[in-house]
């Protein structure tokens, strides 16, 4: 049993109690007066400690109390306290799991397995029950912020019915890419458009990596779109729609299992370089990453994302580092906001922008500074022979270190590349926020269909019943 499963089964009863409270408001925890409780599910690194210290040093009337809920036991303890209606004023919404190294070094959902034990709070359900505070009014009324001070697509992707109930400092982009000449210059497509592009490729080609299984495709690409077929407010689900049927038909193209050889990554790279793999999963953060993507395909890369029923964006933002929420029963909301706003205030100055960006900041001023720094570095590489020689030595580590040939950037980034990058950002509308229980129900229900033991209609009927029961249990 995985860490994720242990968390789920240990906290199932607690979850039911929390999300089935009939109209009752949560009772806040009972710390000392003039103290706001911050439930921290992740290791308390120096950045979080510095935010708490800065707040406490500049506020005499109220203090932040940092409570440790890290590790699987801490997550379970927080769920039990929520079930007992002891709701913290501020809380983490995501536990990073057992990740080696710094705890914000994320796995890549499109190409790698999730960290052991990671846990995502049931964000939409918590919003539906009124447990979380809408943060847009605080951003809009903040004299140093406002909607004009943030990179809007990043936060809009986290909205629920127009409200924003979480806050994060940075994001990464997860998408599927392909050669522009094969998949087209677009930022979204349908299953039909994908298959049309694939039909023009050589007969021994693959859509994704040659060893991709149905589970790989579902768990790393498609399960994040399941919310499209669920209405958490009404308790209805819509898996009988053509979009989900197309998804099932797409999954059926992939084998149930595949014994990958030891040189799996080298083989995948050979497929790409010989024009026999159409799409590759990619997680990236900064415009210069486009140069490596272009180098891989030996032409401009197109970030089409996974296919959707209506052809809208199939790419998504992955929140990076802390993801915070404010309780709707927070005892001092203005003070809590004064603490949380540190995530999206400007962080970069002249000295820090000299380093390449490793993630996309929510703060617009920071984003624009990093873009300018990126173009300055590119101009220097083009005009300084020593800098250009250094630029030519930079190698991409998307594939394993032993993979040959190495992937080097084709050229320093240009203004046109920045425009491609920003077009991708402004076309993304989704946030990576999995619902593990919903995904498990769907995967278990479609298993007999993928094995050829049930028809699609039988599978859809079973899925409608099971998911409807699940979402109504959460109301």
């Amino acid at each position: 049993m995985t860490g994720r499963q242990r968390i789920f089964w240990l906290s199932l009863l607690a979850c039911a109690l929390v999300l089935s409270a009939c109209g009752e408001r949560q009772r806040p925890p009972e710390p000392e007066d003039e103290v706001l409780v911050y439930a921290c599910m992740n290791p308390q690194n120096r950045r979080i400690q510095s935010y708490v210290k800065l707040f406490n040093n500049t506020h005499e009337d109220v203090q932040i109390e940092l409570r440790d809920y890290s590790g699987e036991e801490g997550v379970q303890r927080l769920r039990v306290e929520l079930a007992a209606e002891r709701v913290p004023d501020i809380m983490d919404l995501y536990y990073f799991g057992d990740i080696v190294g710094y705890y914000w070094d994320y796995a890549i959902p499109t190409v790698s397995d999730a960290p052991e034990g990671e846990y995502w709070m049931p964000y939409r359900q918590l919003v539906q029950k009124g447990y979380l505070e809408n943060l847009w009014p605080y951003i809009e009324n903040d004299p140093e912020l406002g909607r004009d001070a943030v990179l809007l697509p990043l936060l809009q992707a986290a909205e629920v019915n127009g409200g924003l109930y979480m806050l994060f400092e940075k994001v990464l982009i997860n998408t599927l890419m392909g050669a522009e000449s094969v998949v087209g210059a677009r930022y979204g497509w349908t299953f039909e458009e994908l298959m049309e592009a694939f039909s023009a490729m050589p007969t021994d080609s693959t859509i994704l990596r040659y060893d991709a299984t149905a589970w790989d495709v579902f768990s790393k690409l498609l399960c994040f779109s399941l919310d499209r077929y669920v209405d958490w407010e009404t308790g209805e689900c819509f898996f009988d729609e053509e979009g989900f049927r197309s998804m099932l038909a797409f999954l059926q193209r992939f084998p149930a299992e595949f014994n990958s050889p030891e040189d799996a990554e080298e083989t995948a790279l050979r497929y790409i370089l010989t024009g026999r793999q159409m799409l590759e999963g990619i997680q990236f953060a900064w415009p210069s990453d486009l140069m490596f993507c272009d180098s891989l395909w030996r032409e401009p890369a197109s970030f089409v994302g996974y296919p959707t029923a209506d052809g809208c964006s199939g790419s998504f933002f992955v929140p990076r580092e802390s993801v915070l929420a404010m309780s709707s029963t927070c005892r001092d909301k203005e003070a809590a906001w004064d603490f949380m706003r540190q995530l999206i205030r400007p962080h970069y100055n002249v000295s820090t922008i000299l380093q390449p960006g490793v993630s996309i900041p929510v703060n617009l001023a920071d984003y624009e500074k990093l873009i300018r720094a990126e173009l300055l570095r590119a101009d220097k590489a083009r005009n300084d022979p020593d800098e250009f020689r250094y630029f030519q030595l930079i190698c991409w580590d998307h594939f394993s270190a032993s993979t040959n040939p190495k992937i080097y950037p084709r050229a320093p980034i240009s203004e046109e590349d920045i425009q491609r990058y920003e077009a991708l950002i402004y076309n993304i509308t989704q946030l990576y926020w999995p619902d593990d229980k919903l995904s498990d129900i769907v995967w278990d229900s479609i298993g007999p269909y993928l094995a050829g033991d049930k028809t699609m209609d039988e599978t859809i009927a079973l899925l409608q019943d099971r998911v409807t029961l699940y979402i109504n249990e959460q109301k």
Side-chain angles (χ1 to χ4, degrees):
M1 180 177 291
T2 67
R4 182 184 300 176
Q5 290 170 326
R6 286 196 298 272
I7 291 176
F8 169 72
W9 289 111
L10 287 172
S11 62
L12 181 60
L13 178 59
C15 181
L17 289 172
V18 171
L19 299 179
S20 62
C22 299
E24 295 181 6
R25 306 299 291 172
Q26 315 104 295
R27 291 193 303 270
E30 300 175 358
E32 298 177 3
D33 292 338
E34 301 175 345
V35 169
L36 296 179
V37 173
Y38 168 23
C40 189
M41 288 200 293
N42 296 289
Q44 299 167 20
N45 69 339
R46 284 178 295 181
R47 186 178 59 87
I48 288 297
Q49 290 174 341
S50 68
Y51 285 171
V52 173
K53 183 177 180 179
L54 176 62
F55 180 92
N56 288 341
N57 287 344
T58 55
H59 292 76
E60 296 181 356
D61 55 335
V62 61
Q63 298 284 281
I64 296 287
E65 178 185 314
L66 196 59
R67 290 190 181 175
D68 186 0
Y69 291 87
S70 59
E72 292 183 22
E73 295 78 8
V75 173
Q76 167 62 11
R77 179 159 44 87
L78 178 58
R79 295 301 301 271
V80 170
E81 291 181 7
L82 289 174
E85 301 181 353
R86 298 175 57 204
V87 182
D89 301 288
I90 303 166
M91 73 179 87
D92 282 335
L93 290 180
Y94 172 44
Y95 167 54
F96 302 148
D98 301 330
I99 301 179
V100 177
Y102 293 109
Y103 74 87
W104 55 83
D105 288 342
Y106 288 83
I108 304 175
T110 50
V111 292
S112 61
D113 293 327
E116 177 72 14
E118 76 167 349
Y119 180 72
W120 304 76
M121 292 286 278
Y123 173 57
R124 289 183 175 273
Q125 295 96 308
L126 293 174
V127 171
Q128 174 201 340
K129 298 304 299 181
Y131 294 163
L132 305 183
E133 183 80 1
N134 180 11
L135 300 176
W136 272 132
Y138 298 89
I139 295 175
E140 293 164 350
N141 294 322
D142 191 304
E144 295 181 319
L145 291 172
R147 286 184 181 247
D148 292 341
V150 297
L151 196 54
L152 277 175
L154 279 58
L155 295 184
Q156 288 173 331
E159 288 180 335
V160 177
N161 298 327
L164 176 68
Y165 301 89
M166 66 164 68
L167 203 64
F168 41 84
E169 183 178 335
K170 306 172 183 178
V171 302
L172 302 174
I173 293 174
N174 272 36
T175 187
L176 287 176
M177 63 174 175
E180 187 176 287
S181 64
V182 175
V183 302
R186 53 178 132 197
Y187 297 98
W189 56 353
T190 64
F191 287 94
E192 292 76 14
E193 289 169 335
L194 180 152
M195 296 311 301
E196 180 181 355
F198 183 62
S199 67
M201 296 189 68
T203 55
D204 61 342
S205 297
T206 63
I207 296 175
L208 297 166
R209 289 195 179 185
Y210 73 99
D211 57 351
T213 65
W215 168 248
D216 291 331
V217 178
F218 176 80
S219 63
K220 297 170 184 175
L221 299 176
L222 301 180
C223 69
F224 313 120
S225 65
L226 297 178
D227 263 333
R228 296 174 182 266
Y229 307 102
V230 172
D231 188 325
W232 291 103
E233 186 173 351
T234 65
E236 298 177 281
C237 55
F238 313 98
F239 292 99
D240 198 25
E241 291 184 354
E242 187 59 35
F244 188 79
R245 289 176 174 270
S246 297
M247 182 189 296
L248 284 186
F250 181 68
L251 283 174
Q252 203 172 38
R253 299 181 60 90
F254 297 88
E257 56 185 29
F258 192 101
N259 294 322
S260 300
E262 291 185 1
D263 65 342
E265 288 211 330
E266 288 83 350
T267 302
L269 180 56
R270 286 197 297 271
Y271 266 74
I272 291 175
L273 295 180
T274 56
R276 293 180 295 137
Q277 179 179 319
M278 185 168 73
L279 298 171
E280 172 71 1
I282 176 69
Q283 175 176 267
F284 68 97
W286 211 236
S288 56
D289 294 336
L290 269 64
M291 301 299 94
F292 293 104
C293 298
D294 291 351
S295 181
L296 176 64
W297 300 105
R298 299 175 180 176
E299 64 173 273
S302 181
F303 303 96
V304 289
Y306 64 79
T308 59
D310 56 5
C312 66
S313 173
S315 305
F316 44 89
F317 297 119
V318 183
R320 185 173 167 91
E321 301 183 14
S322 296
V323 183
L324 301 184
M326 183 195 304
S327 168
S328 59
T329 56
C330 176
R331 285 156 300 176
D332 191 335
K333 294 178 180 179
E334 293 301 326
W337 170 248
D338 206 27
F339 172 74
M340 295 176 63
R341 70 185 298 276
Q342 296 179 85
L343 293 180
I344 61 171
R345 64 174 176 80
H347 288 86
Y348 297 107
N349 54 41
V350 174
S351 61
T352 57
I353 63 172
L354 299 179
Q355 298 300 319
V358 294
S359 53
I360 307 169
V362 169
N363 184 273
L364 185 59
D366 282 351
Y367 170 81
E368 291 173 342
K369 289 176 185 176
L370 289 167
I371 288 290
R372 289 196 296 272
E374 193 83 9
L375 289 171
L376 287 173
R377 281 191 295 272
D379 287 341
K380 190 173 182 180
R382 275 189 289 268
N383 298 315
D384 185 324
D386 291 334
E387 286 293 327
F388 189 74
R389 281 192 290 271
Y390 173 75
F391 167 82
Q392 290 180 309
L393 295 175
I394 302 172
C395 183
W396 196 28
D397 62 359
H398 177 71
F399 293 91
S400 64
S402 62
T403 299
N404 285 295
K406 305 298 184 184
I407 306 298
Y408 297 94
R410 298 181 74 195
I413 198 164
S414 66
E415 290 278 3
E416 292 74 17
D417 297 316
I418 295 294
Q419 293 172 10
R420 289 170 56 203
Y421 174 77
E422 293 191 335
L424 173 61
I425 288 178
Y426 279 88
N427 274 280
I428 296 176
T429 60
Q430 301 176 96
L431 186 75
Y432 173 84
W433 199 270
D435 183 320
D436 293 333
K437 178 57 178 174
L438 176 60
S439 298
D440 290 344
I441 292 172
V442 173
W443 177 250
D444 184 61
S445 300
I446 67 177
Y449 167 76
L450 297 178
D453 298 329
K454 281 186 180 293
T455 67
M456 183 176 290
D457 287 340
E458 291 172 332
T459 301
I460 295 294
L462 173 64
L463 195 53
Q464 286 283 117
D465 290 342
R466 292 189 62 184
V467 175
T468 298
L469 177 61
Y470 165 64
I471 61 179
N472 280 283
E473 286 174 346
Q474 311 309 307
K475 295 181 69 176

